[in-house]
Amino acid sequence: MKLRHTHPAKTILRVAPALLVLCATCAALQQPLQAAPNPNKGKNKNKSQSQAQPQAQYKPITIATAGIELILGPGEDGIFSQLYYGPANREKPAPPQRKQRRDSSLRENEVYPQYGNGFIATPALRVTHADGNTSTDLAYASHTVTKPADDITLTRIELSDKAYPGLRVALCYRAYRDENIIEQWSEITNNETAPVTLYNYASAALIASAQSYYLTQLQGDYRTEAGLTEEKLVPGIKILDSKIGVRAHQFRNPSFILSLDGPAREETGDVIGGALEWAGSFQFAFEVDNAGRLRALCGINPFAAEYRLDAGETLVTPALLHTYSTEGKGGMSRNFHRWARAHGGIRDASKPRPVLLNNWEATHFDFDENKIISLFDGAKEIGADLFLLDDGWFGNNHPRDNDKAGLGDWEPNAKKLPNGLTHLADAAKSRGIGFGIWLEPEMVNPASDLFEKHPDWVITQPNRAPLLRRNQLILDNNRPEAQAFERGIFDRTLAPNPGITYVKWDCNRFVTQPGSSYLPADKQTRLLVDYQFHLYDLMRYFAQKYPNVMAMLCSGGSGRVDYGSLRYFHSFWASDNTDPRQRVFIQWGFSQFFPSESVSAHVTDMGQRPLKFALDVALSGAFGVDRDVARWTPAERAQVAAAVKLYHDRIRPVTAGGALYRLNSPYEMPRATLEYVAPDRARAIVFIYNLDKSDSVFPAIKPLGLDAAKTYRVREINLPASATTRLAPYGATGATLMRDGFAAPVSGPLESAIIEITVE
Ligand code: DGJ
C-alpha cells in the first residue's frame, strides 16, 4: 500500500502497534525528528495494544480532552453523526431516540458526508469510483481507541461503502488532554481494482449549532499580513481559501476563529479555533443551512485538485487542529500555544531562540566579505547570538547581485566572498557569535546554471510562455532528480560547514501554470497536492539530518506559516514590514495561533519610529535586529545592547513559554497591551504601546493570570539610560493588581513601556 503522509514520524511513532501496520511502508520517509522530547513516548504500550480492538457499534464515541468533548454517534443504519462539540462540563443534548434514516434531516449532522446518495449540501467526500459511479455511501464499520501517550488519545473510526467495499475511509482524531486540542484528519484508501478520482476530500467537517456565527480570518498580503477581519455568517457558503499552491498563505493564513452567539471577545464567550497543518492551497467552507446549523469543511482546496488515487494507494489528508474555548479568543490562543510547545508544533520549543542580527534590510544584495565581517562587530557589540547572512551570497556564472539571477547555483560567489562560507563562520565564531545563511531551495532563476542544464525541472505548462514572478520559477519536486537536487543543497552547504548553525528558508513566488513534465496527463491535478507532501519530506530531511541547525520559516514575509511546516522550524518571519507600528497589528494577528517565540520580530529603521518603541515591539517576539549597528550612535548602541541583555535575562524566559493575555486591542483603540505570564505565575511581562500619533489616555492596565494570593512587585524595565519612569516601583497582591490595575506609564505619540511583574 502506498501512502501520502503529512504526519511526522514522531507522531506516527505514537500510534499504537496495531496501527503502525498502516504506516510501515512509508517508514523510510518518516524517521523521527530528533528533539521535541516526548516524555510519554513508549509508555502504556500494553494498554494501547489491548485497547486497539474494534469497539461495539452504535454507542456514541466521545473524543475527549480535559475540558472539551466531541461526541459522535453511529445510528443503526451506520450513518455517523456529530452529537455534540463543546465544553465537557456542559449539559449534552440527549442522543436522538428514533432510528436515523438515510432520508432524514438528521443526515445534516453527518460527520463526514459524501456526495451522491442522499446528502444534498456540500460534501466532505466526492469520489468517482473505478466503474464510473459518482456516489459514495459510507457507514460505520469499526473503531479503535488507543493511548499513544498518557495525555493523548487516538480514535480511529473506519467507514466503508457496502456497494464499494474497496473504498475505505478512516476518520482519525488525536485528542490532547491538557491542551484541549483535537487534531483531526481522514485517510482515504483505494482498494478497488482500478484508480478512483477524489474531487472533495476534506480533513474535517465540524458542525456547530448557535444563534449566530461570526467568522474571523487572518487576512492580508505581502507586508500587511495577518490582519484580523470578522464578519457575520449568513445562510449559504462562505469560503476562505488559497489557490496558489506554493507560498499559498500570501493572502490569508490557513486558520480561522468561529465565534458562536455574537462577535468574538477576548476572554469570554464560545469560540472554535481551527488551524490546518498544510502549506499548500487550502479551503475552509462554512455552510449555514436553513436550520441555522453550520458545517465547516476544512482541508486541501479541492479547486483544480482532482486526486487520482491508484489502486492500493492511501491519501492521508493534512490534519486540522481545533479547540473549543469558553474563554474567548484568549483561551483559544493559549490552548494552541500550549499545544505547539508541548507537542512539537514548533521545533525544539524549549530551546531559547537566538537573538539574530540579519543583514537584509541593512545591505540587500550589496555586500562583500569585508562588509559582512564589519557587521559581525556590530552584532557582537549589541550582544546578538548569531549573524544571519541573507540573500545574495551565491552564484558565479550568474551572480546573485539582484533578484534576476543565481537562484539554483548554491556556490558562494567568489567575488563577494573569496574565502567562502567557512571563513565567515569562523570569523563570526572568533567574535563569539553563531553564523547562519539564507536559502531558497525550491526555486530557480532562468538565469542560472541549474536552469540552463535542466529546463524541464520546473513547474510550467507546454504551449505557454513561462510566467515569472520575482524573476523565478519553482522546481517541480514531483521529479525525483529535482528532489535529490534540493536535498543536495543542504548537504553541499551545511555538511562541509558545521559552523553554519542557522538557516532562513525563503520562498518567494506562488504557482501559475500548474504543470509537471514528469507527471502523466491524468495526474497533473495532483501536482500541487503532492508538491506539499514532497516539500514536507524535504523539510523533514533537513531537520533530521541537521538537528543542530536552527531554522526560520520565511516566504517573502509570512507567505507560508502553518503547523505542518513549523514543526521543522524554530520561528517564522512575520513580515517584511518591520515598521513597529504596523508590526503591532501583524504580531497581534499571528498571536491568535502561534506562540511568541515562533514570531521573529526584528528592529529596523522602517517607519522612522522612536528606537525605544521599535525595541519594545520586537522584544515581545523572537527578538532580532536587521540593521548596520555602526549607523546607530554610541548611545543608541548602548540602548540596544541593554535591551538584548534584558531580553536574554528577563524577557525571553517569560515570553517564551508564557501564557498570553491580550489586554487592550489595537483594533478597538489606538493602543495595545499584551501580557505574558510564566507557567509558575511568579513573573509576568506587560508590553504597552501607544499607537496614536498624538497623546493618548490609556485605561488602567489590569493584568490577568496572576496568583491572587501572592504579592508582586511592579516595575518598568527597558528604559533608556536618560529616561525616568512614570511608574514608581510598587508592590501589591495579585488580586489587587488584577482588580485595580495600574496606570500605563505612557501617553505621548508612539510611546511604549515594558512592565515586569515579579513575586516579591
Ligand atoms: C524575502 C524575505 O522576506 C526577506 O526578509 C529577504 O530574505 C528577501 N526575501 C531576500 O530575497
Side-chain angles (χ1 to χ4, degrees):
M1 182 187 294
K2 217 165 126 197
L3 282 173
R4 294 305 331 158
H5 257 295
T6 62
H7 304 289
K10 183 160 64 69
T11 310
I12 297 293
L13 289 176
R14 291 190 193 135
V15 174
L19 301 180
L20 270 176
V21 174
L22 184 79
C23 303
T25 50
C26 63
L29 290 175
Q30 304 280 358
Q31 293 307 304
L33 173 60
Q34 95 309 323
N38 171 11
N40 297 309
K41 195 156 119 186
K43 287 188 192 166
N44 285 332
K45 266 199 170 164
N46 294 334
K47 202 170 162 195
S48 298
Q49 267 167 328
S50 65
Q51 287 193 348
Q53 302 300 325
Q55 310 284 304
Q57 222 176 328
Y58 308 139
K59 288 201 187 123
I61 299 167
T62 301
I63 318 289
T65 69
I68 60 178
E69 286 183 358
L70 174 62
I71 306 179
L72 312 171
E76 284 180 34
D77 57 1
I79 287 187
F80 209 63
S81 300
Q82 180 181 312
L83 304 177
Y84 177 78
Y85 184 31
N89 58 9
R90 204 172 271 176
E91 203 183 326
K92 320 282 174 341
Q97 290 302 304
R98 63 198 170 93
K99 257 189 174 185
Q100 292 188 6
R101 287 162 47 90
R102 283 177 189 275
D103 58 357
S104 140
S105 64
L106 286 168
R107 267 199 98 150
E108 301 306 326
N109 283 332
E110 198 162 338
V111 169
Y112 198 71
Q114 315 97 49
Y115 172 73
N117 201 27
F119 184 83
I120 55 171
T122 310
L125 183 71
R126 179 160 82 93
V127 182
T128 295
H129 295 274
D131 66 359
N133 192 325
T134 59
S135 66
T136 300
D137 196 354
L138 295 174
Y140 171 92
S142 65
H143 77 280
T144 55
V145 180
T146 55
K147 292 275 285 178
D150 279 350
D151 56 345
I152 304 173
T153 307
L154 175 67
T155 304
R156 186 182 163 89
I157 300 162
E158 305 281 346
L159 308 176
S160 67
D161 183 334
K162 267 195 203 136
Y164 289 87
L167 186 87
R168 303 283 298 195
V169 174
L171 306 180
C172 305
Y173 302 83
R174 198 180 281 122
Y176 296 89
R177 183 189 64 205
D178 300 334
E179 294 79 22
N180 292 325
I181 290 277
I182 297 173
E183 192 176 27
Q184 176 177 349
W185 69 97
S186 58
E187 298 181 358
I188 305 163
T189 299
N190 176 18
N191 283 335
E192 297 187 10
T193 50
V196 301
T197 305
L198 310 179
Y199 292 89
N200 293 65
Y201 40 97
S203 301
L206 283 177
I207 296 163
S209 194
Q211 294 302 314
S212 64
Y213 309 97
Y214 283 79
L215 176 67
T216 301
Q217 56 172 309
L218 275 60
Q219 191 271 338
D221 202 340
Y222 176 63
R223 293 171 71 94
T224 60
E225 293 92 337
L228 297 181
T229 312
E230 185 172 51
E231 67 194 297
K232 185 173 180 184
L233 296 180
V234 294
I237 299 190
K238 168 77 190 182
I239 288 180
L240 303 181
D241 78 346
S242 156
K243 301 185 183 69
I244 53 178
V246 173
R247 185 184 158 65
H249 312 157
Q250 171 156 354
F251 305 122
R252 61 187 50 79
N253 187 263
S255 55
F256 66 85
I257 303 169
L258 185 69
S259 175
L260 309 180
D261 297 324
R265 285 165 299 185
E266 192 55 41
E267 291 295 337
T268 53
D270 286 18
V271 150
I272 297 172
L276 191 69
E277 299 177 10
W278 189 239
S281 299
F282 64 92
Q283 188 190 75
F284 301 141
F286 300 89
E287 184 160 20
V288 178
D289 66 19
N290 286 349
R293 192 190 289 107
L294 176 141
R295 178 178 281 107
L297 291 162
C298 306
I300 293 173
N301 196 340
F303 174 81
E306 296 85 10
Y307 201 90
R308 189 183 129 110
L309 196 62
D310 286 338
E313 260 190 318
T314 294
L315 175 69
V316 179
T317 67
L320 177 77
L321 295 160
H322 56 93
T323 189
Y324 193 110
S325 160
T326 52
E327 294 173 357
K329 290 181 280 186
M332 176 203 81
S333 301
R334 291 188 288 277
N335 289 349
F336 272 97
H337 298 176
R338 281 186 291 126
W339 173 84
R341 289 162 174 157
H343 297 287
I346 54 172
R347 191 170 150 200
D348 302 337
S350 58
K351 201 166 175 175
R353 275 42 182 163
V355 171
L356 303 186
L357 192 133
N358 187 198
N359 68 305
W360 178 247
E361 288 299 326
T363 65
H364 281 218
F365 297 99
D366 184 17
F367 60 80
D368 60 15
E369 184 176 279
N370 289 338
K371 175 70 189 170
I372 294 301
I373 290 179
S374 78
L375 296 178
F376 292 171
D377 293 325
K380 181 175 158 62
E381 185 180 349
I382 60 166
D385 301 306
L386 189 135
F387 183 90
L388 174 57
L389 176 60
D390 214 284
D391 195 355
W393 60 266
F394 49 89
N396 282 301
N397 292 330
H398 303 276
R400 182 78 173 162
D401 291 334
N402 50 51
D403 63 17
K404 293 190 174 59
L407 280 178
D409 299 349
W410 298 102
E411 302 297 331
N413 178 284
K415 207 163 140 218
K416 284 182 183 169
L417 306 178
N419 298 299
L421 295 173
T422 306
H423 176 72
L424 284 180
D426 288 346
K429 193 172 176 196
S430 71
R431 287 160 178 82
I433 52 176
F435 180 68
I437 55 167
W438 179 96
L439 291 171
E440 194 176 9
E442 301 153 76
M443 301 289 163
V444 59
N445 285 121
S448 66
D449 292 348
L450 178 66
F451 186 79
E452 284 168 6
K453 272 196 224 129
H454 304 291
D456 52 340
W457 283 13
V458 299
I459 293 180
T460 190
Q461 286 175 324
N463 311 317
R464 309 271 175 230
L467 286 175
L468 303 182
R469 285 194 66 90
R470 209 196 189 208
N471 308 299
Q472 65 197 53
L473 293 162
I474 304 173
L475 290 172
D476 173 13
N477 67 9
N478 283 274
R479 179 180 282 280
E481 307 90 285
Q483 283 171 23
F485 175 82
E486 290 179 348
R487 287 196 296 273
I489 295 170
F490 296 98
D491 296 337
R492 283 191 303 279
T493 52
L494 301 182
N497 292 301
I500 299 177
T501 56
Y502 199 97
V503 161
K504 177 180 180 183
W505 181 322
D506 208 344
C507 168
N508 282 291
R509 73 157 289 175
F510 52 71
V511 179
T512 52
Q513 303 169 329
S516 163
S517 59
Y518 177 77
L519 292 175
D522 60 3
K523 290 210 170 131
Q524 289 292 315
T525 51
R526 274 179 63 151
L527 165 66
L528 295 184
V529 176
D530 288 346
Y531 182 96
Q532 300 308 325
F533 292 125
H534 296 310
L535 175 65
Y536 286 142
D537 289 346
L538 183 66
M539 290 176 174
R540 190 178 311 113
Y541 176 84
F542 156 67
Q544 287 173 353
K545 189 144 182 210
Y546 301 98
N548 299 323
V549 178
M550 296 182 85
M552 181 199 290
L553 177 65
C554 175
S555 179
S558 55
R560 177 160 75 195
V561 181
D562 65 284
Y563 274 125
S565 304
L566 275 173
R567 56 169 59 101
Y568 308 113
F569 292 85
H570 298 81
S571 68
F572 63 90
W573 183 233
S575 181
D576 274 2
N577 187 343
T578 49
D579 174 345
R581 190 174 183 283
Q582 303 305 319
R583 269 297 187 120
V584 167
F585 289 89
I586 292 168
Q587 293 171 196
W588 189 273
F590 280 120
S591 80
Q592 306 297 319
F593 290 92
F594 304 102
S596 72
E597 61 269 39
S598 70
V599 185
S600 288
H602 291 186
V603 173
T604 69
D605 285 343
M606 210 173 279
Q608 301 298 311
R609 311 297 185 189
L611 178 57
K612 156 86 173 142
F613 187 83
L615 287 168
D616 286 357
V617 171
L619 286 165
S620 72
F623 181 78
V625 170
D626 211 322
R627 196 183 196 280
D628 181 350
V629 169
R631 288 178 46 236
W632 272 319
T633 65
E636 288 170 331
R637 291 205 289 275
Q639 187 180 349
V640 176
V644 171
K645 181 155 179 19
L646 207 54
Y647 179 75
H648 280 143
D649 298 346
R650 283 152 73 182
I651 296 176
R652 186 174 63 185
V654 179
T655 54
L660 168 67
Y661 295 89
R662 289 175 293 250
L663 303 180
N664 298 128
S665 167
Y667 285 88
E668 288 163 14
M669 53 183 88
R671 299 176 279 280
T673 312
L674 292 167
E675 180 200 13
Y676 291 91
V677 182
D680 64 0
R681 297 195 290 168
R683 286 201 278 172
I685 300 280
V686 181
F687 297 88
I688 307 171
Y689 310 116
N690 178 17
L691 305 178
D692 240 346
K693 300 203 178 104
S694 53
D695 286 358
S696 190
V697 180
F698 270 79
I701 306 288
K702 295 186 179 170
L704 291 170
L706 302 178
D707 184 333
K710 295 238 163 80
T711 303
Y712 291 90
R713 184 124 199 104
V714 180
R715 62 170 85 77
E716 183 172 4
I717 58 174
N718 201 35
L719 277 166
S722 55
T724 47
T725 180
R726 279 177 267 165
L727 181 79
Y730 74 105
T733 63
T736 309
L737 265 173
M738 292 191 285
R739 187 193 61 218
D740 300 341
F742 56 87
V746 301
S747 58
L750 295 175
E751 281 188 356
S752 57
I754 302 181
I755 309 298
E756 184 183 55
I757 302 177
T758 44
V759 166
E760 280 194 311

